[in-house]
Amino acid sequence: MSPQDIEEAIRRRKARRDHFAGVEYLRYADEFHGVPRGTVLLDGVTLWGYPSIGRILALRTGLEEQFQAPFWAEEKIDGFNARIFRHGGEILALSRGGFICPFTTDRIRDLMDVRIFDDHPDLVVCAEVAGPDTPYMIGSPPFVTEDVQLFVFDMMRLNAQGFLTHDEKTALIGEYGLPAAPAFGRFTKDQWPAIRTLLLELNGQGREGVVFKEDSPRQRRCKYVTSDSSIQDIQATAHNMLQLPPEYFTLRILRLALFMQEEGIECDGEVHQRLGQAFLDGLFEAIEQFRREHRVYTTHRCRLRRKENAERLLTQIKRASGHMQVAVRRLEWENGYYVLAFDKVYPNMTGMFGHLLKGGMVFD
Amino acid sequence: MSPQDIEEAIRRRKARRDHFAGVEYLRYADEFHGVPRGTVLLDGVTLWGYPSIGRILALRTGLEEQFQAPFWAEEKIDGFNARIFRHGGEILALSRGGFICPFTTDRIRDLMDVRIFDDHPDLVVCAEVAGPDTPYMIGSPPFVTEDVQLFVFDMMRLNAQGFLTHDEKTALIGEYGLPAAPAFGRFTKDQWPAIRTLLLELNGQGREGVVFKEDSPRQRRCKYVTSDSSIQDIQATAHNMLQLPPEYFTLRILRLALFMQEEGIECDGEVHQRLGQAFLDGLFEAIEQFRREHRVYTTHRCRLRRKENAERLLTQIKRASGHMQVAVRRLEWENGYYVLAFDKVYPNMTGMFGHLLKGGMVFD
């Protein structure tokens, strides 16, 4: 990135200046001239954006087509992406989009041993933060039943694109006792029957799926998710259906069908029922919510160490929500944490129900 | 419409010249300066487009909000719209979009007594054509079990926008013994409990719903459909899901939930199951079709009196299908008709499965 490139990115609003607790930084809000979205420039240091990972929807041919060398299979965890690094005396966490995340930054010492950054000051730890009490997500992996947990899945270095090798990463995870995304082993593509068995197990346990990572210099990756995760996604979001692009739903139904068909899951009444219920439970809840309170919303809850971070988090969520209304329910000190609860009010659902339930017409 | 307006519509490609069996006409492909889509100019005569009818998604408040006078409730039939009129010695039928429809034009004497046009040469009969053997639709109302039937639901006059009154229409239907969309009576909006009972009955019988027509000079209309029709629509189209806008599906699920919630239909396992199955049966069929034949398609069948009309129909379907491939399976004389069977091959589904089942990645 030359200074000219950066200036152009700023001029074209692809890169934006931001700040967090006195830290000034530049954030790539979109991909620009090969610089990935989420890339951050901060005091002369570059944190490259976490690359988007392609998805295969057919397991056997997908592995066949995508990989030229053995690959690792690691659990894909349904949370949000964080890049954690040291900046001066502070540990900071970046969101996928390149914001300094007030929540993860606040809680980082609860979630991992940060002494790794004393020995490796140029390390960037890439992790998923997941659980029932995140400020961003609805739903949680089945194995995180309270608060949040962090799962390391990659490591990068400051100023460098690309990842540490699996062995380097595993060694550091072991040495510092970091919580990590479960690794299921190293496979060759002819071992797809074993991988299918693994996926069927994960599916039965309500887990999201797998990321495959080629054990080679090109570090090729792809992901593959279970049919259960598609149903869970629909279940978690049908309530605010109009806030998401409609293909969010149709593509998940397509994934679900392809997974079941390939993995030989019988398409019986139980799956039909779960899919139908995933849509209708949420919509019925939204309709009832609107009739009762004239708005459609979700309530989120999380815990933070410092009150300023709760306030920064709210400011950031309000900014990121655009025209979505964010209403604080409570912010109280409780057992060593500030407990923050807030509602996100969905304007599309609220507006649509307002129009329709008052008897309005639509032309479609 | 002044000649200048028409010239401008032509220049801007809103109105297009077309022809059918030597008949030259101008067709409004889009709404333009207040002239509705589907309006046709033919030998100095104007056939106004059939207006689009708004939809209510809440019955009680919808009737309350939309109507100022008593209204008729008529059955909404799931077929395609035709406007039938006399042109010289011929009886022609226009599609909703303003094409002269080779199928309905060919079959019109099988479907209704056209002597009405001898006595009323300026009449335009608006009807739904429905059944298992149409060239355009997948699915049929439960009460049409073979071939097609026609159901008159409105009458207009050449060169005039607006409809004949209910009484005028009913008198003509009676006098000429025309097949008509069932009329359920004239209601005031405080009679919504009776209308709800009617809708629940229609829903139980797998019928689409109702069009309400105000019995007043302003002729205000709106439609309201059953939850069963939403499921049937999904069932009929999941197989070619990617060929339709994704909101086709999400809006039907929303309608379904609103109908059930208002009409007090219990949201139990049976509905869940039917909704899930509506999606998955079609997608499984599409996947299996692709694995077997490397294409995703539907087969259509219809009967025509004249071979030229079968050929005109194919030409028109090919034109209207854009990049969709249309492949004739058979065109054979059988029991007094040319039986035409053809496949529509869906390029989006075929292409997507081609990419995915070969192991391709998607970035979403």
mmCIF file of all heavy atoms in Angstrom, chain A residues 310-329:
data_model
loop_
_atom_site.group_PDB
_atom_site.id
_atom_site.type_symbol
_atom_site.label_atom_id
_atom_site.label_comp_id
_atom_site.label_asym_id
_atom_site.label_seq_id
_atom_site.Cartn_x
_atom_site.Cartn_y
_atom_site.Cartn_z
ATOM 1 N N ALA A 310 -18.878 -0.110 27.802
ATOM 2 C CA ALA A 310 -20.311 -0.326 27.525
ATOM 3 C C ALA A 310 -20.844 0.846 26.716
ATOM 4 O O ALA A 310 -21.606 0.670 25.753
ATOM 5 C CB ALA A 310 -21.082 -0.475 28.834
ATOM 6 N N GLU A 311 -20.419 2.049 27.096
ATOM 7 C CA GLU A 311 -20.901 3.235 26.376
ATOM 8 C C GLU A 311 -20.333 3.290 24.956
ATOM 9 O O GLU A 311 -21.044 3.612 24.000
ATOM 10 C CB GLU A 311 -20.571 4.497 27.180
ATOM 11 C CG GLU A 311 -21.558 4.650 28.336
ATOM 12 C CD GLU A 311 -21.004 5.385 29.552
ATOM 13 O OE1 GLU A 311 -19.853 5.862 29.478
ATOM 14 O OE2 GLU A 311 -21.730 5.456 30.569
ATOM 15 N N ARG A 312 -19.053 2.949 24.828
ATOM 16 C CA ARG A 312 -18.464 2.901 23.478
ATOM 17 C C ARG A 312 -19.164 1.855 22.611
ATOM 18 O O ARG A 312 -19.403 2.069 21.422
ATOM 19 C CB ARG A 312 -16.973 2.551 23.575
ATOM 20 C CG ARG A 312 -16.128 3.672 24.129
ATOM 21 C CD ARG A 312 -14.656 3.277 24.182
ATOM 22 N NE ARG A 312 -13.899 4.323 24.828
ATOM 23 C CZ ARG A 312 -13.171 4.165 25.946
ATOM 24 N NH1 ARG A 312 -13.068 2.980 26.532
ATOM 25 N NH2 ARG A 312 -12.530 5.188 26.457
ATOM 26 N N LEU A 313 -19.468 0.725 23.236
ATOM 27 C CA LEU A 313 -20.151 -0.342 22.504
ATOM 28 C C LEU A 313 -21.508 0.145 21.996
ATOM 29 O O LEU A 313 -21.861 -0.052 20.824
ATOM 30 C CB LEU A 313 -20.316 -1.555 23.424
ATOM 31 C CG LEU A 313 -21.118 -2.738 22.866
ATOM 32 C CD1 LEU A 313 -20.449 -3.326 21.635
ATOM 33 C CD2 LEU A 313 -21.284 -3.822 23.938
ATOM 34 N N LEU A 314 -22.255 0.780 22.854
ATOM 35 C CA LEU A 314 -23.571 1.281 22.448
ATOM 36 C C LEU A 314 -23.453 2.296 21.316
ATOM 37 O O LEU A 314 -24.213 2.245 20.339
ATOM 38 C CB LEU A 314 -24.280 1.928 23.641
ATOM 39 C CG LEU A 314 -24.900 0.935 24.621
ATOM 40 C CD1 LEU A 314 -25.338 1.659 25.890
ATOM 41 C CD2 LEU A 314 -26.093 0.218 23.973
ATOM 42 N N THR A 315 -22.492 3.202 21.456
ATOM 43 C CA THR A 315 -22.286 4.203 20.402
ATOM 44 C C THR A 315 -21.993 3.507 19.083
ATOM 45 O O THR A 315 -22.539 3.845 18.024
ATOM 46 C CB THR A 315 -21.096 5.112 20.781
ATOM 47 O OG1 THR A 315 -21.381 5.703 22.054
ATOM 48 C CG2 THR A 315 -20.887 6.210 19.750
ATOM 49 N N GLN A 316 -21.133 2.496 19.158
ATOM 50 C CA GLN A 316 -20.746 1.816 17.925
ATOM 51 C C GLN A 316 -21.904 1.025 17.330
ATOM 52 O O GLN A 316 -22.102 1.024 16.114
ATOM 53 C CB GLN A 316 -19.567 0.905 18.225
ATOM 54 C CG GLN A 316 -18.986 0.311 16.972
ATOM 55 C CD GLN A 316 -17.704 -0.419 17.293
ATOM 56 O OE1 GLN A 316 -16.743 0.164 17.778
ATOM 57 N NE2 GLN A 316 -17.705 -1.707 17.055
ATOM 58 N N ILE A 317 -22.658 0.353 18.177
ATOM 59 C CA ILE A 317 -23.807 -0.411 17.671
ATOM 60 C C ILE A 317 -24.821 0.539 17.049
ATOM 61 O O ILE A 317 -25.381 0.256 15.987
ATOM 62 C CB ILE A 317 -24.437 -1.264 18.788
ATOM 63 C CG1 ILE A 317 -23.501 -2.429 19.123
ATOM 64 C CG2 ILE A 317 -25.807 -1.790 18.392
ATOM 65 C CD1 ILE A 317 -23.926 -3.252 20.310
ATOM 66 N N LYS A 318 -25.037 1.668 17.666
ATOM 67 C CA LYS A 318 -25.977 2.644 17.093
ATOM 68 C C LYS A 318 -25.484 3.118 15.726
ATOM 69 O O LYS A 318 -26.264 3.212 14.782
ATOM 70 C CB LYS A 318 -26.157 3.846 18.038
ATOM 71 C CG LYS A 318 -27.072 3.527 19.214
ATOM 72 C CD LYS A 318 -27.164 4.695 20.190
ATOM 73 C CE LYS A 318 -27.905 4.251 21.452
ATOM 74 N NZ LYS A 318 -27.822 5.251 22.528
ATOM 75 N N ARG A 319 -24.200 3.410 15.635
ATOM 76 C CA ARG A 319 -23.645 3.844 14.351
ATOM 77 C C ARG A 319 -23.797 2.759 13.296
ATOM 78 O O ARG A 319 -24.198 3.020 12.164
ATOM 79 C CB ARG A 319 -22.153 4.157 14.491
ATOM 80 C CG ARG A 319 -21.852 5.593 14.844
ATOM 81 C CD ARG A 319 -20.365 5.767 15.071
ATOM 82 N NE ARG A 319 -19.567 5.437 13.898
ATOM 83 C CZ ARG A 319 -18.255 5.217 13.929
ATOM 84 N NH1 ARG A 319 -17.580 5.288 15.092
ATOM 85 N NH2 ARG A 319 -17.594 4.938 12.825
ATOM 86 N N ALA A 320 -23.441 1.526 13.694
ATOM 87 C CA ALA A 320 -23.459 0.428 12.725
ATOM 88 C C ALA A 320 -24.886 0.041 12.351
ATOM 89 O O ALA A 320 -25.122 -0.535 11.294
ATOM 90 C CB ALA A 320 -22.724 -0.786 13.292
ATOM 91 N N SER A 321 -25.836 0.352 13.216
ATOM 92 C CA SER A 321 -27.215 -0.072 12.965
ATOM 93 C C SER A 321 -27.916 0.835 11.976
ATOM 94 O O SER A 321 -29.044 0.553 11.580
ATOM 95 C CB SER A 321 -28.012 -0.090 14.271
ATOM 96 O OG SER A 321 -27.374 -0.895 15.217
ATOM 97 N N GLY A 322 -27.282 1.939 11.593
ATOM 98 C CA GLY A 322 -27.921 2.835 10.629
ATOM 99 C C GLY A 322 -29.209 3.360 11.206
ATOM 100 O O GLY A 322 -29.212 3.963 12.268
ATOM 101 N N HIS A 323 -30.309 3.079 10.498
ATOM 102 C CA HIS A 323 -31.596 3.623 10.941
ATOM 103 C C HIS A 323 -32.280 2.723 11.980
ATOM 104 O O HIS A 323 -33.408 2.969 12.372
ATOM 105 C CB HIS A 323 -32.509 3.865 9.745
ATOM 106 C CG HIS A 323 -32.715 2.620 8.919
ATOM 107 N ND1 HIS A 323 -31.738 1.672 8.714
ATOM 108 C CD2 HIS A 323 -33.800 2.168 8.260
ATOM 109 C CE1 HIS A 323 -32.218 0.705 7.959
ATOM 110 N NE2 HIS A 323 -33.445 0.973 7.679
ATOM 111 N N MET A 324 -31.578 1.676 12.421
ATOM 112 C CA MET A 324 -32.170 0.808 13.436
ATOM 113 C C MET A 324 -32.066 1.490 14.802
ATOM 114 O O MET A 324 -31.026 2.041 15.133
ATOM 115 C CB MET A 324 -31.412 -0.519 13.466
ATOM 116 C CG MET A 324 -32.292 -1.680 13.843
ATOM 117 S SD MET A 324 -31.405 -3.245 13.885
ATOM 118 C CE MET A 324 -30.484 -3.259 12.371
ATOM 119 N N GLN A 325 -33.141 1.413 15.553
ATOM 120 C CA GLN A 325 -33.137 2.064 16.867
ATOM 121 C C GLN A 325 -32.530 1.121 17.916
ATOM 122 O O GLN A 325 -32.813 -0.077 17.918
ATOM 123 C CB GLN A 325 -34.580 2.407 17.216
ATOM 124 C CG GLN A 325 -34.742 3.315 18.412
ATOM 125 C CD GLN A 325 -36.180 3.282 18.901
ATOM 126 O OE1 GLN A 325 -37.109 3.142 18.113
ATOM 127 N NE2 GLN A 325 -36.360 3.392 20.214
ATOM 128 N N VAL A 326 -31.683 1.665 18.765
ATOM 129 C CA VAL A 326 -31.085 0.866 19.841
ATOM 130 C C VAL A 326 -31.520 1.500 21.167
ATOM 131 O O VAL A 326 -31.303 2.690 21.388
ATOM 132 C CB VAL A 326 -29.543 0.857 19.723
ATOM 133 C CG1 VAL A 326 -28.918 0.087 20.878
ATOM 134 C CG2 VAL A 326 -29.118 0.249 18.387
ATOM 135 N N ALA A 327 -32.169 0.711 21.991
ATOM 136 C CA ALA A 327 -32.714 1.253 23.245
ATOM 137 C C ALA A 327 -32.133 0.489 24.430
ATOM 138 O O ALA A 327 -32.262 -0.733 24.512
ATOM 139 C CB ALA A 327 -34.235 1.134 23.248
ATOM 140 N N VAL A 328 -31.484 1.210 25.334
ATOM 141 C CA VAL A 328 -30.869 0.556 26.505
ATOM 142 C C VAL A 328 -31.955 0.146 27.489
ATOM 143 O O VAL A 328 -32.849 0.925 27.804
ATOM 144 C CB VAL A 328 -29.871 1.513 27.186
ATOM 145 C CG1 VAL A 328 -29.263 0.862 28.429
ATOM 146 C CG2 VAL A 328 -28.773 1.908 26.211
ATOM 147 N N ARG A 329 -31.891 -1.073 27.939
ATOM 148 C CA ARG A 329 -32.808 -1.548 28.973
ATOM 149 C C ARG A 329 -32.197 -1.375 30.361
ATOM 150 O O ARG A 329 -32.854 -0.976 31.300
ATOM 151 C CB ARG A 329 -33.136 -3.035 28.785
ATOM 152 C CG ARG A 329 -34.126 -3.272 27.688
ATOM 153 C CD ARG A 329 -34.609 -4.732 27.709
ATOM 154 N NE ARG A 329 -35.680 -4.870 26.754
ATOM 155 C CZ ARG A 329 -36.965 -4.973 27.087
ATOM 156 N NH1 ARG A 329 -37.343 -5.014 28.359
ATOM 157 N NH2 ARG A 329 -37.885 -5.070 26.151
#
